[in-house]
Amino acid sequence: MPLYQTKQSEKQVSELDTPIILDVLLEDREQEQLSENRLHFVDVTDTTGVRKKRYHDNENLFHSVSNVPGGVDLYGEIERYWETMVSSNTSTGRTIEELAHVQHRTTVKDLHLDGIRSYIYNDLDIQKRIEFVRSLHRRQAPKRQHAKVCIAASIAHDAEAFKLSVMPWIQYHIEMGVDAFYIMYDGKDRKAVEMITSLDPIVKMSSLRPEFASKEDYEEFQKFNATTKVSDEGNYELMKKQKYGAQWAIKAAQQDGKDWIIQIDPDELFLTTRYSSIPEVFHNIPNSVPAMRFMNFEAQVEAGDVKYPFYEVNLFRAPKFFSTPEAIHYRSTFKQGLNPGFIYLYANGKAAARLSASGLRQYGPHYFNGPPHQSYISEDNAQGEWTNVISQESIILHYTYCDPNEVTKKAKLSCPQLFGRKDVDYDTVKKECFILDIDAHAFMAANAGEEEAISFFYQNFVYSEGAPVRCAAKRRGYTWCALHDIERLKVLLERVGLFRRFTLPQHILIQHEFALM
């Protein structure tokens, strides 16, 4: 259980359908404070739930463990690492573009993970994999006695991507005890639709496209689309589709008698660090809690040629919720490339809700909501208000930007009207297609060509020798430094809790591949 929780206003969260910007802004503010050596307050919540302000400066921010026999002064060692890096880099006046040419393009083979690929049978007949999924679902039935948990997701994968990415995602969650999946399909590939429907009733599908949806479902979506207004800027249109998909999944899951619904994407895995299955997690939630939030750990890629993220990535960046105030300082220090925050994309987790909750509705891609109810009344909730309680032990693993090809794929999918045009500028791209700066920068790189996309991927997402970080403020920008002795740095950041390694998904999915041999 974490000792501290960074404060996030419930009022701010409840009023924002996409509060993903909040964490990024907070990290930028921290960077300004710490780079200017200011005194600052850290607003935290202790284990009793009481909010307190702790006062720090650069002299008392770090706690030494050198008095522990055999221990290492971690913060002191990180400080020495930083000082050495800055002194050896800033005098060269390097730009981020210059550092791109010196960054080591580490591969999966360099990390000795290439052997895993020999276990992955992508040429396996899809029908055999579907039969394996059905058999696996039957074998995991005892786990589902605790609670019937389902997952809602929206996808647009073609058949090949469905086999390589979505099938392992389904397999992992079935192994962990998930009962069913409700997928809203917004793609165009009929073969992918055939794969999805062949998994019925484990996987149930609806579609936003008339060629795949039933007449009733398509008319329902058209009605929803006409009456639901979102911003014309950014990718809020995608979030509207996700909202419709989640509402459809809630209704279908309620009719099927499920107990809990989780809203996650196919690049996210649910991981529990306390229980042996996902149903156990929800079985142990008090009846007075209608919804739970699970904070996301974001994949930290160590090689630039990852092809199978669930099998080849096991290092993750920790969210603020699982960081102490002492370690939060280094979130701003060691954020890579152009990323405005230590977490690249969203940092507010994903949610699950009790399907029996009165008036349940999806409230953006990260939350569920509903009216107050007397069944929610507890010692901490005298008015019976709807609450999204944050889990202390179960989390979401988010495998974002793990594959260099993902830069170009996401650019084409998220902004097809501008991709390929040479006359587009960053501001236009950001306004029309994206919410986050890093996604807009990725689009510009992909639009410039394959080599630019690969260079951008290494600069911003691959923690390899020579990776660029901002190391000192200048009047008109930043001085860039190249990370050195990267393996030692990763160990240090793991020790202070900013990086974590989780290998359970790898083990489960490799075991599945052995079973399919």
Side-chain angles (χ1 to χ4, degrees):
M1 180 180 295
L3 294 178
Y4 304 104
Q5 171 186 351
T6 55
K7 178 182 177 182
Q8 188 175 29
S9 167
E10 288 297 327
K11 186 173 189 296
Q12 285 177 309
V13 168
S14 65
E15 291 178 353
L16 287 171
D17 211 26
T18 56
I20 49 179
I21 306 301
L22 180 60
D23 190 72
V24 173
L25 295 178
L26 286 174
E27 290 198 336
D28 277 348
R29 197 169 303 130
E30 289 167 1
Q31 174 67 30
E32 292 174 3
Q33 289 176 325
L34 294 171
S35 63
E36 296 178 16
N37 200 30
R38 295 183 196 162
L39 304 179
H40 66 288
F41 288 101
V42 179
D43 201 352
V44 301
T45 302
D46 66 15
T47 53
T48 65
V50 177
R51 287 193 175 94
K52 298 179 178 179
K53 285 187 180 294
R54 296 185 59 186
Y55 176 69
H56 289 297
D57 60 22
N58 282 352
E59 292 181 357
N60 65 13
L61 183 62
F62 315 113
H63 296 296
S64 172
V65 294
S66 58
N67 60 329
V68 179
V72 176
D73 182 356
L74 294 175
Y75 294 112
E77 188 163 347
I78 292 176
E79 285 298 295
R80 287 189 291 274
Y81 174 97
W82 181 259
E83 291 170 2
T84 300
M85 181 184 69
V86 171
S87 63
S88 63
N89 277 274
T90 54
S91 60
T92 65
R94 285 173 172 170
T95 65
I96 189 172
E97 290 77 17
E98 290 172 334
L99 288 181
H101 300 294
V102 301
Q103 183 179 2
H104 185 232
R105 294 198 170 186
T106 306
T107 65
V108 168
K109 185 176 181 179
D110 293 332
L111 300 175
H112 307 292
L113 292 172
D114 53 315
I116 292 176
R117 294 187 178 182
S118 63
Y119 305 134
I120 303 174
Y121 289 84
N122 290 321
D123 57 347
L124 186 73
D125 179 16
I126 186 62
Q127 190 56 43
K128 290 184 179 179
R129 194 170 287 274
I130 289 171
E131 291 171 0
F132 173 78
V133 167
R134 292 188 177 280
S135 174
L136 181 66
H137 191 266
R138 289 192 296 270
R139 294 199 304 272
Q140 301 306 320
K143 294 179 181 178
R144 301 194 293 273
Q145 294 176 357
H146 297 288
K148 293 182 179 179
V149 181
C150 63
I151 289 175
S154 296
I155 70 171
H157 297 62
D158 61 22
E160 186 66 15
F162 185 86
K163 183 174 73 170
L164 296 182
S165 302
V166 182
M167 287 296 284
W169 176 77
I170 291 172
Q171 291 170 206
Y172 168 81
H173 286 107
I174 289 177
E175 180 76 45
M176 294 299 293
V178 169
D179 187 35
F181 302 80
Y182 295 87
I183 290 180
M184 179 60 64
Y185 186 68
D186 191 29
K188 302 177 182 179
D189 192 329
R190 187 168 295 278
K191 288 185 178 180
V193 171
E194 292 172 358
M195 290 181 187
I196 297 170
T197 55
S198 68
L199 289 165
D200 188 276
I202 300 170
V203 179
K204 292 194 173 181
M205 188 200 87
S206 185
S207 180
L208 304 177
R209 298 184 177 275
E211 62 266 36
F212 302 132
S214 67
K215 181 179 179 181
E216 180 183 357
D217 283 352
Y218 187 68
E219 289 177 351
E220 187 70 23
F221 171 65
Q222 290 297 98
K223 181 180 177 181
F224 174 87
N225 196 39
T227 57
T228 304
K229 303 299 181 183
V230 295
S231 171
D232 293 331
E233 299 181 5
N235 59 352
Y236 289 101
E237 193 66 33
L238 172 62
M239 294 183 185
K240 181 167 72 171
K241 293 179 179 180
Q242 291 175 331
K243 183 179 182 68
Y244 174 77
Q247 291 301 117
W248 164 79
I250 288 171
K251 183 178 179 180
Q254 289 172 334
Q255 292 173 346
D256 292 343
K258 308 306 179 188
D259 300 316
W260 283 85
I261 187 167
I262 310 169
Q263 183 179 213
I264 58 175
D265 297 325
D267 63 351
E268 298 168 332
L269 300 180
F270 187 104
L271 179 71
T272 173
T273 59
R274 179 176 179 181
Y275 300 102
S276 61
S277 71
I278 292 174
E280 282 186 79
V281 173
F282 294 97
H283 176 73
N284 286 283
I285 295 173
N287 293 330
S288 59
V289 176
M292 292 291 296
R293 282 176 60 201
F294 304 94
M295 304 311 293
N296 55 292
F297 283 68
E298 193 173 73
Q300 176 55 69
V301 183
E302 300 172 81
D305 61 341
V306 169
K307 187 177 180 181
Y308 309 104
F310 295 154
Y311 301 82
E312 297 174 334
V313 177
N314 58 34
L315 185 64
F316 294 84
R317 292 174 176 254
K320 284 184 179 179
F321 183 81
F322 287 95
S323 300
T324 64
E326 291 77 18
I328 283 176
H329 170 79
Y330 293 112
R331 289 168 62 90
S332 296
T333 303
F334 290 104
K335 59 186 181 182
Q336 184 179 353
L338 298 174
N339 291 293
F342 186 71
I343 298 294
Y344 303 148
L345 300 183
Y346 74 87
N348 44 4
K350 287 297 181 76
R354 199 183 294 273
L355 284 160
S356 61
S358 176
L360 173 63
R361 65 188 180 93
Q362 191 251 28
Y363 194 62
H366 305 277
Y367 302 91
F368 288 98
N369 205 349
H373 195 273
Q374 61 181 8
S375 64
Y376 309 153
I377 295 175
S378 66
E379 183 179 347
D380 299 322
N381 187 10
Q383 303 301 315
E385 297 290 336
W386 182 278
T387 55
N388 286 273
V389 178
I390 300 177
S391 174
Q392 302 284 339
E393 64 276 323
S394 296
I395 60 175
I396 300 296
L397 301 182
H398 186 198
Y399 295 78
T400 183
Y401 281 120
C402 291
D403 176 354
N405 295 322
E406 189 177 344
V407 175
T408 302
K409 288 179 181 177
K410 187 169 185 176
K412 290 180 178 179
L413 182 65
S414 301
C415 201
Q417 70 273 26
L418 297 180
F419 189 80
R421 288 174 49 181
K422 299 304 180 183
D423 59 336
V424 296
D425 58 75
Y426 173 86
D427 291 337
T428 300
V429 168
K430 175 74 187 305
K431 182 177 181 180
E432 287 196 25
C433 302
F434 299 102
I435 295 173
L436 297 179
D437 290 341
I438 193 64
D439 286 334
H441 283 301
F443 176 93
M444 295 301 292
N447 201 45
E450 182 180 357
E451 183 55 37
E452 287 293 329
I454 293 174
S455 293
F456 179 87
F457 182 75
Y458 269 94
Q459 285 177 23
N460 293 279
F461 303 119
V462 182
Y463 232 57
S464 63
E465 196 75 18
V469 295
R470 297 181 180 97
C471 55
K474 296 191 300 183
R475 179 172 295 181
R476 294 184 179 180
Y478 291 94
T479 295
W480 292 89
C481 291
L483 296 177
H484 66 91
D485 195 4
I486 196 71
E487 294 304 318
R488 180 56 180 159
L489 177 61
K490 286 187 288 189
V491 170
L492 289 172
L493 296 184
E494 279 188 74
R495 292 285 302 278
V496 299
L498 293 186
F499 282 167
R500 303 280 184 88
R501 287 199 185 271
F502 300 103
T503 59
L504 180 63
Q506 282 179 311
H507 293 316
I508 287 177
L509 291 172
I510 290 173
Q511 286 177 352
H512 287 177
E513 297 305 315
F514 280 140
L516 282 162
M517 291 177 65

